[in-house]
Coordinates of all heavy atoms in Angstrom, one line a residue:
M1 N 10.0 25.7 4.0 CA 10.4 24.3 4.0 C 9.6 23.6 2.8 O 8.5 23.9 2.6 CB 9.9 23.7 5.3 CG 10.9 23.8 6.4 SD 10.6 22.6 7.7 CE 9.5 23.5 8.8
P2 N 10.3 22.7 2.1 CA 9.6 22.0 1.1 C 8.6 21.1 1.7 O 8.7 20.6 2.8 CB 10.8 21.2 0.5 CG 12.0 21.6 1.0 CD 11.7 22.4 2.2
R3 N 7.6 20.8 0.9 CA 6.5 19.9 1.3 C 6.5 18.6 0.5 O 6.7 18.7 -0.7 CB 5.1 20.6 1.1 CG 4.0 19.8 1.4 CD 2.7 20.6 1.5 NE 2.8 21.5 2.6 CZ 1.8 22.3 3.0 NH1 0.7 22.4 2.3 NH2 2.0 23.1 4.0
V4 N 6.4 17.5 1.2 CA 6.3 16.2 0.5 C 4.9 15.7 0.7 O 4.3 15.7 1.8 CB 7.3 15.2 1.1 CG1 7.3 13.8 0.4 CG2 8.7 15.7 1.1
I5 N 4.3 15.2 -0.4 CA 3.0 14.5 -0.3 C 3.2 13.0 -0.3 O 3.7 12.4 -1.3 CB 2.1 15.0 -1.5 CG1 2.0 16.5 -1.4 CG2 0.7 14.3 -1.4 CD1 1.5 17.1 -2.7
F6 N 2.8 12.4 0.8 CA 2.9 10.9 0.9 C 1.5 10.3 0.8 O 0.5 10.9 1.3 CB 3.4 10.5 2.3 CG 4.8 10.9 2.6 CD1 5.1 12.1 3.3 CD2 5.9 10.1 2.2 CE1 6.4 12.4 3.6 CE2 7.2 10.4 2.5 CZ 7.5 11.6 3.2
H7 N 1.5 9.1 0.1 CA 0.2 8.3 0.2 C 0.7 7.1 0.9 O 1.6 6.3 0.4 CB -0.3 8.0 -1.2 CG -0.6 9.2 -1.9 ND1 -1.9 9.7 -2.0 CD2 0.1 10.1 -2.7 CE1 -2.0 10.8 -2.7 NE2 -0.8 11.1 -3.2
D8 N 0.2 6.8 2.2 CA 0.8 5.7 3.0 C 0.1 4.4 2.5 O -0.7 4.4 1.7 CB 0.7 6.1 4.5 CG -0.7 6.0 5.0 OD1 -1.6 5.5 4.3 OD2 -0.9 6.4 6.1
V9 N 0.6 3.3 3.2 CA 0.0 2.0 2.8 C -1.4 1.8 3.2 O -2.0 0.9 2.6 CB 0.8 0.8 3.5 CG1 2.1 0.5 2.8 CG2 1.1 1.2 4.9
D10 N -1.9 2.7 4.0 CA -3.4 2.6 4.3 C -4.2 3.5 3.4 O -5.4 3.6 3.6 CB -3.6 3.0 5.8 CG -2.8 2.2 6.8 OD1 -2.6 1.0 6.5 OD2 -2.4 2.7 7.8
G11 N -3.6 4.1 2.4 CA -4.3 5.0 1.5 C -4.5 6.3 2.0 O -5.3 7.1 1.3
Q12 N -3.9 6.7 3.1 CA -4.0 8.1 3.6 C -3.1 9.0 2.9 O -1.9 8.7 2.7 CB -3.8 8.0 5.1 CG -4.4 9.1 5.8 CD -4.3 9.0 7.3 OE1 -4.2 7.9 7.8 NE2 -4.4 10.1 8.0
R13 N -3.5 10.2 2.6 CA -2.7 11.3 2.1 C -2.2 12.2 3.2 O -2.9 12.7 4.0 CB -3.5 12.1 1.1 CG -2.7 13.2 0.4 CD -3.7 14.1 -0.3 NE -3.1 15.4 -0.6 CZ -2.6 15.7 -1.8 NH1 -2.7 14.9 -2.8 NH2 -2.1 16.9 -2.0
I14 N -0.9 12.3 3.3 CA -0.2 13.1 4.3 C 0.7 14.1 3.7 O 1.6 13.8 2.9 CB 0.6 12.2 5.3 CG1 -0.3 11.2 6.0 CG2 1.4 13.1 6.3 CD1 0.4 10.0 6.5
E15 N 0.4 15.4 4.0 CA 1.3 16.5 3.5 C 2.3 16.9 4.6 O 1.9 17.2 5.7 CB 0.5 17.7 3.1 CG -0.4 17.4 1.9 CD -1.0 18.6 1.2 OE1 -0.6 19.7 1.5 OE2 -1.8 18.4 0.3
A16 N 3.6 16.7 4.3 CA 4.6 16.9 5.4 C 5.6 18.0 4.9 O 6.2 17.9 3.9 CB 5.3 15.6 5.6
D17 N 5.7 19.0 5.8 CA 6.7 20.0 5.6 C 8.0 19.5 6.3 O 7.9 19.1 7.5 CB 6.3 21.4 6.2 CG 5.1 21.9 5.5 OD1 5.1 21.7 4.3 OD2 4.3 22.6 6.1
A18 N 9.1 19.5 5.6 CA 10.3 19.0 6.2 C 11.5 19.9 5.8 O 11.5 20.5 4.7 CB 10.6 17.6 5.8
P19 N 12.5 20.0 6.7 CA 13.7 20.8 6.4 C 14.5 20.4 5.3 O 14.6 19.1 5.1 CB 14.5 20.8 7.7 CG 13.7 20.1 8.7 CD 12.6 19.3 8.0
V20 N 15.1 21.3 4.5 CA 16.0 21.0 3.4 C 17.2 20.3 4.1 O 17.7 20.6 5.2 CB 16.5 22.3 2.8 CG1 17.8 22.1 1.9 CG2 15.4 22.9 2.0
G21 N 17.7 19.2 3.5 CA 18.8 18.4 4.0 C 18.3 17.2 4.6 O 19.2 16.2 4.7
N22 N 17.1 17.1 5.1 CA 16.6 15.9 5.7 C 16.3 15.0 4.5 O 16.1 15.4 3.4 CB 15.3 16.1 6.5 CG 15.6 16.5 7.9 OD1 16.7 16.9 8.2 ND2 14.6 16.3 8.8
T23 N 16.3 13.6 4.8 CA 15.9 12.7 3.7 C 14.4 12.6 3.7 O 13.7 13.0 4.7 CB 16.5 11.3 3.9 OG1 16.0 10.8 5.2 CG2 18.0 11.4 4.0
I24 N 13.9 12.1 2.6 CA 12.4 11.8 2.6 C 12.0 10.8 3.6 O 10.9 10.9 4.2 CB 12.0 11.3 1.1 CG1 12.6 12.2 0.0 CG2 10.5 11.3 1.0 CD1 12.2 13.7 0.0
M25 N 12.9 9.9 3.9 CA 12.6 8.9 4.9 C 12.4 9.6 6.2 O 11.5 9.3 7.0 CB 13.8 7.8 4.9 CG 13.7 6.8 6.1 SD 14.5 7.4 7.6 CE 16.1 7.0 7.3
E26 N 13.3 10.5 6.6 CA 13.2 11.2 7.8 C 11.9 12.0 7.9 O 11.2 12.0 9.0 CB 14.3 12.1 8.1 CG 15.6 11.3 8.4 CD 16.9 12.2 8.3 OE1 17.0 13.1 7.4 OE2 17.9 11.9 9.1
A27 N 11.5 12.6 6.8 CA 10.2 13.4 6.7 C 9.1 12.4 7.0 O 8.1 12.7 7.8 CB 10.1 14.1 5.4
A28 N 9.1 11.2 6.5 CA 8.1 10.3 6.7 C 8.0 9.8 8.1 O 6.9 9.8 8.7 CB 8.3 9.0 5.8
L29 N 9.1 9.5 8.7 CA 9.1 9.1 10.2 C 8.6 10.2 11.1 O 7.8 10.0 12.0 CB 10.5 8.7 10.6 CG 11.1 7.4 10.0 CD1 12.4 7.1 10.6 CD2 10.1 6.2 10.1
D30 N 9.0 11.5 10.8 CA 8.6 12.6 11.6 C 7.1 12.8 11.5 O 6.5 13.5 12.4 CB 9.3 13.8 11.1 CG 10.8 13.9 11.5 OD1 11.2 13.0 12.4 OD2 11.5 14.7 11.0
N31 N 6.5 12.4 10.4 CA 5.1 12.6 10.2 C 4.2 11.3 10.3 O 3.1 11.3 9.8 CB 4.9 13.3 8.9 CG 5.4 14.8 9.0 OD1 4.7 15.6 9.4 ND2 6.6 14.9 8.5
D32 N 4.8 10.3 10.9 CA 4.0 9.0 11.1 C 3.4 8.5 9.9 O 2.3 8.1 9.8 CB 3.0 9.2 12.2 CG 3.6 9.6 13.5 OD1 4.7 9.1 13.9 OD2 3.0 10.5 14.3
V33 N 4.2 8.4 8.8 CA 3.7 7.9 7.5 C 3.7 6.4 7.6 O 4.8 5.8 7.7 CB 4.5 8.4 6.3 CG1 4.1 7.8 5.0 CG2 4.4 9.9 6.2
A34 N 2.6 5.8 7.6 CA 2.5 4.3 7.7 C 3.2 3.6 6.6 O 3.0 3.9 5.4 CB 1.0 3.8 7.8
G35 N 4.0 2.6 6.9 CA 4.6 1.8 5.8 C 6.1 2.1 5.7 O 6.8 1.3 5.0
I36 N 6.6 3.3 6.0 CA 8.0 3.5 6.0 C 8.6 3.1 7.3 O 8.4 3.6 8.3 CB 8.3 5.0 5.8 CG1 7.7 5.5 4.4 CG2 9.8 5.3 5.9 CD1 8.5 5.0 3.2
L37 N 9.3 1.9 7.2 CA 9.8 1.3 8.5 C 11.3 1.7 8.8 O 11.6 1.9 9.9 CB 9.7 -0.3 8.3 CG 8.4 -0.8 7.9 CD1 8.5 -2.3 7.8 CD2 7.3 -0.4 8.8
A38 N 12.0 1.9 7.7 CA 13.4 2.4 7.9 C 14.2 1.6 8.9 O 14.9 2.2 9.8 CB 13.3 3.9 8.2
E39 N 14.2 0.3 8.8 CA 14.8 -0.4 9.8 C 16.3 -0.3 9.9 O 16.9 -0.5 11.0 CB 14.5 -1.9 9.5 CG 13.0 -2.2 9.8 CD 12.7 -3.7 9.6 OE1 13.4 -4.4 8.9 OE2 11.6 -4.1 10.2
C40 N 17.0 0.1 8.9 CA 18.5 0.3 9.0 C 18.9 1.7 9.3 O 20.0 2.0 9.4 CB 19.1 -0.2 7.6 SG 19.0 1.0 6.3
G41 N 17.9 2.5 9.5 CA 18.2 3.9 9.9 C 18.7 4.8 8.8 O 19.3 5.8 9.0
G42 N 18.6 4.3 7.6 CA 19.0 5.2 6.4 C 20.3 4.8 5.8 O 21.0 5.5 5.1
A43 N 20.8 3.6 6.1 CA 22.1 3.1 5.7 C 22.0 2.4 4.3 O 23.0 1.8 3.9 CB 22.7 2.2 6.7
C44 N 20.9 2.4 3.7 CA 20.8 1.8 2.4 C 21.0 0.3 2.5 O 21.7 -0.3 1.7 CB 21.6 2.4 1.3 SG 21.1 2.0 -0.3
A45 N 20.5 -0.3 3.6 CA 20.7 -1.8 3.9 C 19.5 -2.5 4.2 O 19.6 -3.6 4.8 CB 21.7 -1.8 5.1
C46 N 18.2 -2.0 3.9 CA 17.1 -2.7 4.4 C 16.0 -2.7 3.3 O 15.1 -3.6 3.3 CB 16.6 -2.3 5.7 SG 15.7 -0.7 5.7
A47 N 15.9 -1.6 2.6 CA 14.8 -1.5 1.5 C 13.4 -1.3 2.1 O 12.4 -1.4 1.5 CB 14.8 -2.5 0.5
T48 N 13.3 -1.0 3.5 CA 12.0 -0.9 4.1 C 11.6 0.6 4.1 O 10.7 1.0 4.8 CB 11.9 -1.4 5.5 OG1 12.8 -0.7 6.3 CG2 12.2 -2.9 5.6
C49 N 12.2 1.4 3.3 CA 11.8 2.8 3.1 C 11.4 3.0 1.6 O 11.4 4.1 1.0 CB 12.9 3.7 3.4 SG 14.4 3.6 2.4
H50 N 11.1 1.8 1.0 CA 10.7 1.8 -0.4 C 9.4 2.5 -0.8 O 8.4 2.4 0.0 CB 10.6 0.3 -0.8 CG 10.2 0.0 -2.2 ND1 9.6 -1.2 -2.6 CD2 10.3 0.7 -3.4 CE1 9.3 -1.2 -3.8 NE2 9.7 0.0 -4.4
A51 N 9.4 3.3 -1.8 CA 8.2 4.0 -2.2 C 8.2 4.2 -3.7 O 9.3 4.1 -4.4 CB 8.1 5.4 -1.5
Y52 N 7.1 4.4 -4.3 CA 6.9 4.7 -5.7 C 6.7 6.2 -5.9 O 5.9 6.8 -5.3 CB 5.7 3.9 -6.3 CG 5.8 2.5 -5.9 CD1 4.8 1.9 -5.0 CD2 6.7 1.6 -6.5 CE1 4.9 0.6 -4.8 CE2 6.8 0.3 -6.2 CZ 5.9 -0.2 -5.3 OH 5.9 -1.6 -5.0
V53 N 7.6 6.7 -6.8 CA 7.6 8.2 -7.1 C 6.7 8.4 -8.3 O 6.7 7.6 -9.3 CB 9.0 8.6 -7.4 CG1 9.1 10.1 -7.7 CG2 9.9 8.3 -6.2
T54 N 5.9 9.5 -8.2 CA 5.0 9.7 -9.4 C 5.7 10.1 -10.7 O 6.9 10.6 -10.5 CB 4.0 10.9 -9.1 OG1 4.8 12.0 -8.6 CG2 3.0 10.5 -8.0
D55 N 5.2 9.9 -11.8 CA 6.0 10.0 -13.1 C 6.5 11.4 -13.2 O 7.6 11.6 -13.7 CB 5.0 9.8 -14.2 CG 4.7 8.3 -14.3 OD1 5.4 7.5 -13.7 OD2 3.8 7.9 -15.1
A56 N 5.8 12.5 -12.8 CA 6.2 13.8 -13.0 C 7.5 14.1 -12.2 O 8.3 14.9 -12.6 CB 5.1 14.7 -12.5
W57 N 7.6 13.4 -11.0 CA 8.7 13.7 -10.2 C 10.0 12.8 -10.4 O 11.1 13.2 -10.1 CB 8.3 13.6 -8.7 CG 7.6 14.8 -8.3 CD1 6.2 15.0 -8.2 CD2 8.1 16.1 -8.0 NE1 5.9 16.2 -7.8 CE2 7.0 17.0 -7.7 CE3 9.4 16.6 -7.9 CZ2 7.2 18.3 -7.3 CZ3 9.5 18.0 -7.5 CH2 8.5 18.7 -7.3
L58 N 9.8 11.7 -10.9 CA 10.9 10.7 -11.1 C 12.1 11.3 -11.8 O 13.2 11.1 -11.3 CB 10.4 9.5 -11.9 CG 11.2 8.2 -11.7 CD1 11.4 7.8 -10.3 CD2 10.6 7.1 -12.6
P59 N 11.9 12.0 -12.9 CA 13.2 12.5 -13.6 C 13.9 13.7 -12.8 O 14.9 14.0 -13.2 CB 12.7 13.0 -14.9 CG 11.2 13.0 -14.9 CD 10.8 12.3 -13.7
R60 N 13.2 14.2 -11.8 CA 13.8 15.3 -11.1 C 14.5 14.9 -9.8 O 15.1 15.7 -9.1 CB 12.6 16.3 -10.7 CG 12.0 16.8 -12.0 CD 10.6 17.3 -11.7 NE 10.6 18.6 -11.1 CZ 9.5 19.4 -11.0 NH1 8.3 18.9 -11.4 NH2 9.6 20.5 -10.4
L61 N 14.6 13.6 -9.6 CA 15.3 13.1 -8.4 C 16.8 12.9 -8.7 O 17.1 12.7 -9.9 CB 14.7 11.8 -8.0 CG 13.2 11.9 -7.5 CD1 12.8 10.6 -7.0 CD2 13.1 12.9 -6.4
P62 N 17.6 12.8 -7.7 CA 19.0 12.5 -8.0 C 19.1 11.1 -8.6 O 18.3 10.3 -8.4 CB 19.7 12.5 -6.5 CG 18.6 12.8 -5.6 CD 17.3 13.1 -6.4
T63 N 20.2 10.9 -9.4 CA 20.4 9.6 -10.1 C 20.3 8.4 -9.1 O 20.9 8.5 -8.0 CB 21.8 9.6 -10.8 OG1 21.9 10.9 -11.4 CG2 21.9 8.6 -11.8
L64 N 19.8 7.4 -9.6 CA 19.8 6.1 -8.8 C 21.3 5.5 -8.8 O 21.8 5.2 -9.9 CB 18.9 5.1 -9.6 CG 18.7 3.7 -8.9 CD1 18.0 3.8 -7.6 CD2 17.9 2.8 -9.9
E65 N 21.8 5.4 -7.7 CA 23.2 4.9 -7.5 C 23.2 3.4 -7.4 O 22.2 2.8 -7.1 CB 23.9 5.5 -6.3 CG 24.0 7.0 -6.2 CD 25.0 7.6 -7.3 OE1 25.8 6.8 -7.8 OE2 24.9 8.8 -7.5
E66 N 24.4 2.8 -7.7 CA 24.5 1.4 -7.7 C 24.0 0.6 -6.5 O 23.3 -0.4 -6.5 CB 25.9 1.0 -8.0 CG 26.2 -0.3 -8.6 CD 27.7 -0.5 -8.9 OE1 28.3 0.4 -9.5 OE2 28.2 -1.6 -8.5
M67 N 24.4 1.2 -5.3 CA 24.0 0.6 -4.0 C 22.5 0.6 -3.8 O 21.9 -0.4 -3.4 CB 24.7 1.4 -2.9 CG 24.8 0.7 -1.7 SD 26.0 1.6 -0.6 CE 25.2 1.3 1.0
E68 N 21.9 1.7 -4.1 CA 20.4 1.7 -4.0 C 19.8 0.8 -5.0 O 18.8 0.1 -4.7 CB 19.9 3.2 -4.3 CG 18.4 3.4 -4.1 CD 17.9 4.8 -4.4 OE1 18.8 5.7 -4.7 OE2 16.7 5.0 -4.5
D69 N 20.3 0.8 -6.2 CA 19.7 -0.1 -7.2 C 19.8 -1.5 -6.8 O 18.8 -2.3 -6.8 CB 20.6 0.1 -8.5 CG 19.9 -0.5 -9.7 OD1 18.7 -0.8 -9.7 OD2 20.7 -0.8 -10.7
A70 N 20.9 -1.9 -6.2 CA 21.1 -3.3 -5.7 C 20.2 -3.6 -4.6 O 19.5 -4.7 -4.4 CB 22.5 -3.6 -5.3
M71 N 20.0 -2.6 -3.7 CA 19.1 -2.8 -2.5 C 17.6 -2.9 -3.0 O 16.8 -3.7 -2.4 CB 19.3 -1.7 -1.6 CG 18.6 -1.9 -0.1 SD 18.9 -3.6 0.6 CE 20.7 -3.6 0.7
L72 N 17.3 -2.1 -4.0 CA 15.9 -2.1 -4.5 C 15.6 -3.5 -5.1 O 14.4 -3.9 -5.1 CB 15.7 -1.1 -5.6 CG 15.3 0.3 -5.1 CD1 15.4 1.3 -6.1 CD2 14.0 0.3 -4.4
D73 N 16.6 -4.3 -5.6 CA 16.3 -5.6 -6.1 C 15.8 -6.6 -5.0 O 15.3 -7.6 -5.3 CB 17.6 -6.2 -6.7 CG 17.8 -5.6 -8.2 OD1 16.8 -5.2 -8.8 OD2 18.9 -5.7 -8.6
T74 N 16.1 -6.3 -3.8 CA 15.7 -7.1 -2.6 C 14.2 -6.7 -2.2 O 13.7 -7.4 -1.3 CB 16.6 -7.0 -1.4 OG1 16.5 -5.8 -0.8 CG2 18.1 -7.2 -1.9
A75 N 13.8 -5.6 -2.6 CA 12.4 -5.1 -2.2 C 11.3 -5.9 -2.9 O 11.5 -6.4 -4.0 CB 12.2 -3.6 -2.5
A76 N 10.2 -6.1 -2.2 CA 9.1 -6.7 -2.9 C 8.5 -5.8 -3.8 O 8.4 -4.6 -3.5 CB 8.1 -7.1 -1.7
E77 N 8.1 -6.2 -4.9 CA 7.4 -5.5 -5.9 C 8.1 -4.2 -6.4 O 7.5 -3.1 -6.3 CB 6.0 -5.1 -5.4 CG 4.8 -5.9 -6.0 CD 3.5 -5.2 -5.8 OE1 3.2 -4.3 -6.6 OE2 2.8 -5.6 -4.9
R78 N 9.3 -4.4 -6.8 CA 10.0 -3.3 -7.4 C 9.4 -2.9 -8.8 O 9.0 -3.8 -9.5 CB 11.5 -3.7 -7.6 CG 12.3 -2.5 -8.3 CD 13.7 -2.8 -8.4 NE 14.4 -1.6 -8.9 CZ 15.7 -1.5 -9.1 NH1 16.5 -2.5 -8.9 NH2 16.2 -0.4 -9.6
R79 N 9.3 -1.6 -9.0 CA 8.7 -1.1 -10.2 C 9.7 -0.1 -10.8 O 10.6 0.4 -10.1 CB 7.4 -0.4 -10.0 CG 6.4 -1.3 -9.4 CD 5.1 -0.6 -9.1 NE 4.1 -1.3 -8.3 CZ 3.1 -0.9 -7.6 NH1 2.9 0.4 -7.7 NH2 2.3 -1.7 -6.9
P80 N 9.5 0.4 -12.1 CA 10.4 1.4 -12.7 C 10.5 2.6 -11.9 O 11.5 3.4 -12.0 CB 9.8 1.6 -14.1 CG 9.0 0.3 -14.4 CD 8.5 -0.1 -13.1
N81 N 9.5 2.9 -11.1 CA 9.4 4.2 -10.4 C 9.8 4.0 -8.9 O 9.5 4.8 -8.1 CB 8.2 5.0 -10.5 CG 7.0 4.2 -10.0 OD1 7.0 3.0 -9.9 ND2 5.9 4.9 -9.8
S82 N 10.4 2.9 -8.6 CA 10.8 2.6 -7.2 C 12.0 3.4 -6.8 O 13.0 3.5 -7.6 CB 11.1 1.1 -7.0 OG 10.0 0.3 -7.1
R83 N 12.1 3.9 -5.6 CA 13.2 4.5 -5.0 C 13.2 4.2 -3.5 O 12.2 4.0 -2.9 CB 13.2 6.1 -5.2 CG 13.4 6.5 -6.6 CD 14.7 6.1 -7.3 NE 15.9 6.6 -6.6 CZ 16.6 7.7 -7.0 NH1 16.2 8.4 -8.1 NH2 17.7 8.0 -6.4
L84 N 14.4 4.4 -2.9 CA 14.5 4.3 -1.4 C 14.5 5.7 -0.9 O 15.3 6.5 -1.3 CB 15.8 3.6 -1.1 CG 15.8 2.0 -1.5 CD1 17.2 1.5 -1.1 CD2 14.7 1.3 -0.9
M85 N 13.6 5.9 0.0 CA 13.4 7.3 0.5 C 14.5 7.8 1.4 O 14.7 9.0 1.6 CB 12.1 7.4 1.3 CG 10.8 7.1 0.4 SD 10.7 8.3 -0.9 CE 11.2 7.4 -2.3
C86 N 15.4 6.9 1.9 CA 16.5 7.3 2.7 C 17.7 7.8 1.8 O 18.7 8.4 2.3 CB 17.1 6.3 3.6 SG 17.9 4.9 2.7
Q87 N 17.6 7.6 0.5 CA 18.6 8.0 -0.4 C 18.3 9.3 -1.1 O 19.1 9.8 -2.0 CB 18.9 6.9 -1.4 CG 19.4 5.6 -0.8 CD 20.6 5.8 0.1 OE1 21.7 6.2 -0.4 NE2 20.6 5.6 1.4
I88 N 17.3 9.9 -0.7 CA 16.9 11.3 -1.4 C 16.8 12.4 -0.4 O 16.0 12.3 0.5 CB 15.5 11.1 -2.1 CG1 15.6 10.0 -3.1 CG2 15.1 12.4 -2.8 CD1 14.3 9.5 -3.7
E89 N 17.7 13.3 -0.5 CA 17.6 14.5 0.4 C 16.7 15.6 -0.2 O 16.7 15.8 -1.3 CB 19.1 15.1 0.5 CG 19.9 14.4 1.6 CD 21.2 15.1 1.9 OE1 21.4 16.2 1.4 OE2 22.0 14.5 2.5
L90 N 16.0 16.2 0.7 CA 15.1 17.3 0.4 C 15.9 18.5 0.0 O 16.8 18.9 0.6 CB 14.2 17.6 1.5 CG 12.9 17.0 1.5 CD1 12.1 17.3 2.8 CD2 12.1 17.4 0.3
T91 N 15.5 19.1 -1.1 CA 16.0 20.4 -1.6 C 14.8 21.2 -1.9 O 13.7 20.8 -2.0 CB 16.8 20.2 -3.0 OG1 15.9 19.6 -4.0 CG2 18.0 19.2 -2.8
P92 N 15.0 22.6 -2.0 CA 13.9 23.4 -2.3 C 13.2 23.0 -3.6 O 12.0 23.2 -3.8 CB 14.6 24.8 -2.5 CG 15.8 24.7 -1.7 CD 16.3 23.3 -1.8
E93 N 14.0 22.5 -4.6 CA 13.4 22.1 -5.9 C 12.4 20.9 -5.8 O 11.7 20.6 -6.7 CB 14.5 21.7 -6.9 CG 15.4 22.8 -7.3 CD 16.4 23.3 -6.2 OE1 16.8 22.5 -5.3 OE2 16.8 24.5 -6.2
L94 N 12.5 20.2 -4.6 CA 11.6 19.0 -4.5 C 10.3 19.4 -3.7 O 9.6 18.5 -3.3 CB 12.4 17.9 -3.7 CG 13.5 17.2 -4.5 CD1 14.1 16.1 -3.7 CD2 13.0 16.7 -5.8
D95 N 10.1 20.6 -3.6 CA 8.8 21.1 -3.0 C 7.6 20.6 -3.8 O 7.6 20.8 -5.0 CB 8.8 22.6 -2.9 CG 7.5 23.1 -2.2 OD1 7.1 22.5 -1.3 OD2 7.1 24.2 -2.6
G96 N 6.8 19.8 -3.1 CA 5.6 19.2 -3.8 C 5.8 17.8 -4.3 O 4.9 17.1 -4.9
L97 N 7.0 17.2 -4.0 CA 7.3 15.8 -4.4 C 6.2 14.8 -3.8 O 5.7 15.1 -2.7 CB 8.6 15.4 -3.7 CG 9.0 13.9 -3.9 CD1 9.3 13.5 -5.3 CD2 10.2 13.6 -3.0
E98 N 5.7 13.9 -4.7 CA 4.6 13.1 -4.4 C 5.1 11.6 -4.5 O 5.5 11.2 -5.5 CB 3.4 13.4 -5.2 CG 2.2 12.7 -4.8 CD 0.9 13.2 -5.5 OE1 1.1 13.9 -6.5 OE2 -0.2 12.8 -5.0
V99 N 4.9 10.8 -3.4 CA 5.3 9.4 -3.4 C 4.2 8.5 -2.8 O 3.4 8.9 -2.0 CB 6.7 9.2 -2.7 CG1 7.8 10.1 -3.2 CG2 6.5 9.5 -1.2
F100 N 4.2 7.2 -3.3 CA 3.3 6.2 -2.8 C 4.1 5.2 -2.1 O 4.9 4.6 -2.7 CB 2.5 5.6 -3.9 CG 1.4 6.6 -4.5 CD1 1.8 7.6 -5.4 CD2 0.1 6.4 -4.2 CE1 0.9 8.5 -5.9 CE2 -0.9 7.3 -4.7 CZ -0.5 8.3 -5.6
V101 N 3.9 5.0 -0.8 CA 4.6 4.0 0.0 C 4.3 2.6 -0.4 O 3.2 2.2 -0.7 CB 4.3 4.2 1.5 CG1 5.1 3.2 2.3 CG2 4.7 5.7 1.9
A102 N 5.4 1.9 -0.6 CA 5.3 0.4 -1.0 C 4.9 -0.4 0.2 O 4.9 0.1 1.4 CB 6.6 -0.1 -1.6
R103 N 4.5 -1.7 -0.1 CA 4.2 -2.7 1.0 C 5.4 -3.1 1.6 O 5.9 -4.3 1.3 CB 3.3 -3.8 0.5 CG 2.0 -3.4 0.0 CD 0.8 -4.2 0.5 NE -0.5 -3.4 0.5 CZ -1.0 -2.9 1.5 NH1 -0.4 -3.0 2.7 NH2 -2.1 -2.1 1.5
N104 N 6.0 -2.4 2.5 CA 7.3 -2.8 3.1 C 7.1 -3.7 4.3 O 6.2 -3.5 5.1 CB 8.1 -1.5 3.6 CG 8.4 -0.6 2.4 OD1 8.9 -1.1 1.4 ND2 8.2 0.7 2.6
E105 N 7.9 -4.8 4.4 CA 7.7 -5.7 5.4 C 9.1 -5.9 6.2 O 10.1 -5.8 5.6 CB 7.3 -7.1 4.9 CG 5.7 -7.0 4.5 CD 5.4 -8.3 3.8 OE1 6.1 -9.3 3.9 OE2 4.3 -8.2 3.2
S106 N 8.9 -6.1 7.5 CA 10.2 -6.3 8.2 C 10.6 -7.7 8.2 O 9.9 -8.6 7.8 CB 10.0 -5.8 9.7 OG 8.9 -6.4 10.3
Ligands
FES201 FE1 17.0 1.1 5.1 FE2 16.4 3.1 3.5 S1 16.1 3.0 5.7 S2 17.3 1.3 3.0

């Protein structure tokens, strides 16, 4: 199983093993990562699964689609390395992915 390294909003580092095919958002919820609220359940309709991807990993992620891009515009403190964790599915190639959870508010 690929491993995702989360840095949650409280500054805690959490290493989570998660099945291929799950989203990063699901991996975060399964591992109680603080700050990933996922209020819309992964429908790309809330931006409360917003996180910042480290520079090394950003180019290795699937392309940012129009819908995710538009939703990220509603997120507080969008940055060039912002992504929505419900829009990224885990693959074996993403083993070691490292993300910093944004200050998501409901
Ligand atoms: Fe709502 Fe990702 S969970 S946009």
